[in-house]
Amino acid sequence: MNRIVRPVPGILLRRLALASIIANVGIVVTGGAVRLTASGLGCPTWPRCTDDSYVVTPEMGVYGVIEFSNRLLAFVVGFIALATVLAVLVHRPRRPGLLALAVAVFLGIPAQAVVGGITVLTNLNPWVVGLHFLASMAVLAAAYALWRRIGDPDGPTVPVVPPALRALARVTTGVAVAVLVIGTWVTGSGPHAGDHGAARNGLDPESISQVHADGVFLLVGLSVALIFAFRAVGARRATRAAIVLVAVELGQGVIGFVQYFTHVPAFLVGAHMLGACLVLLATLSVQWSTRDRRPVAPTPEATPADAAPVPVTV
């Protein structure tokens, strides 16, 4: 007779957290598809799709379907986040730190949706569109932190590299975030505004693209330095994480340069948005690899030597 093997709660939690990461990457990519197909105002208002309907109508055509589908996907992402919160609540024994991260991911999704609604109400203001993307990145970072925390023991954290290298990893993370922010400025200055009548941010596309490229060069240089520094101190896990980061950055850089010199085709812009998510995740992986978390020390059991003396009657 075949036995039904049920996943232990820890495995279930980790799978839900991984599903949350994948779903948040997916909504970034589909959000890009909305913009790249000029469907940003497919539903011209928010939270309704039209003044008279919460759902798309046949008269709105394919643009309405694309934009409304992205709105529906937000509910899927939210459902996964809610399931993760509930799984954390019922998990026994209760694990410290998980609930705060799970709730942060769950609450970040409606907050991100509100920013998305503001983008519609402001007729795709490029600065708000950029904020919408960065809000998604923040939720993705929280989802990744939750996934990693579930896989860690509950004991204290211990650095595995010297303080100077941990500082270098933090600087690299800061530069990566800056590159993402400047990337939204590049997007707001170029084509693919999400609607043919949407405004641009007024920045010179060539100049801001050069600033973005300079940031990428700095990021790659810091990441390569991390590889050699981690290897020098024998931090193998951190070295592997830095190698993956450089590989992802180089792939993302190639996509960025090709799309620039081929006049920003929509397909490559979508690939570049996926790459931005992967760069963030790889950067966070490096940050996580600079420290380790030890298991909780077992509670010492009483021994005969520790036991209270027994009075003896003579």
Side-chain angles (χ1 to χ4, degrees):
M1 181 181 296
N2 295 329
R3 296 177 59 188
I4 299 177
V5 180
R6 299 183 183 275
V8 300
I11 294 177
L12 177 60
L13 270 177
R14 195 159 169 83
R15 288 176 177 173
L16 282 171
L18 180 60
S20 185
I21 293 174
I22 295 172
N24 277 285
V25 172
I27 202 166
V28 170
V29 174
T30 58
V34 170
R35 180 168 59 84
L36 295 170
T37 57
S39 303
L41 294 178
C43 287
T45 189
W46 188 88
R48 295 174 181 263
C49 192
T50 69
D51 291 334
D52 302 319
S53 175
Y54 280 99
V55 299
V56 66
T57 61
E59 294 78 15
M60 301 174 71
V62 66
Y63 296 120
V65 172
I66 293 173
E67 209 277 341
F68 185 71
S69 297
N70 186 245
R71 294 189 183 189
L72 290 180
L73 184 58
F75 287 97
V76 176
V77 180
F79 175 79
I80 295 173
L82 177 60
T84 306
V85 171
L86 295 177
V88 169
L89 287 172
V90 302
H91 183 272
R92 294 294 181 273
R94 193 64 74 77
R95 297 194 52 196
L98 295 189
L99 183 59
L101 285 171
V103 170
V105 174
F106 176 67
L107 294 181
I109 293 167
Q112 189 259 14
V114 169
V115 177
I118 295 173
T119 65
V120 173
L121 297 177
T122 57
N123 294 318
L124 306 183
N125 180 291
W127 300 105
V128 182
V129 172
L131 181 61
H132 186 42
F133 171 79
L134 294 175
S136 296
M137 293 292 100
V139 176
L140 179 59
Y144 179 82
L146 175 62
W147 178 70
R148 291 298 298 258
R149 182 65 186 86
I150 291 171
D152 284 345
D154 292 326
T157 56
V158 179
V160 297
V161 298
L165 295 189
R166 296 196 74 193
L168 180 59
R170 287 192 290 269
V171 170
T172 304
T173 301
V175 172
V177 172
V179 167
L180 290 175
V181 172
I182 298 172
T184 65
W185 301 349
V186 175
T187 297
S189 68
H192 307 302
D195 185 80
H196 298 297
R200 302 285 72 206
N201 60 21
L203 298 175
D204 177 60
E206 185 173 348
S207 298
I208 195 62
S209 295
Q210 184 60 57
V211 173
H212 182 58
D214 292 340
V216 171
F217 290 141
L218 176 59
L219 177 60
V220 173
L222 290 170
S223 303
V224 171
L226 283 175
I227 294 176
F228 289 102
F230 288 153
R231 181 173 294 173
V233 298
R236 295 183 179 179
R237 183 164 63 96
T239 301
R240 290 194 297 269
I243 290 173
V244 171
L245 174 60
V246 171
V248 172
E249 289 168 349
L250 292 177
Q252 176 75 334
V254 168
I255 294 173
F257 277 109
V258 172
Q259 74 171 8
Y260 179 80
F261 290 109
T262 55
H263 307 291
V264 201
F267 172 76
L268 288 180
V269 175
H272 203 53
M273 293 186 69
L274 173 60
C277 296
L278 298 181
V279 168
L280 175 65
L281 294 174
T283 304
L284 294 175
S285 176
V286 170
Q287 191 67 52
W288 223 269
S289 70
T290 61
R291 95 290 184 278
D292 200 2
R293 190 180 287 271
R294 303 298 168 83
V296 177
T299 303
E301 298 180 0
T303 63
D306 300 324
V310 179
V312 178
T313 303
V314 180

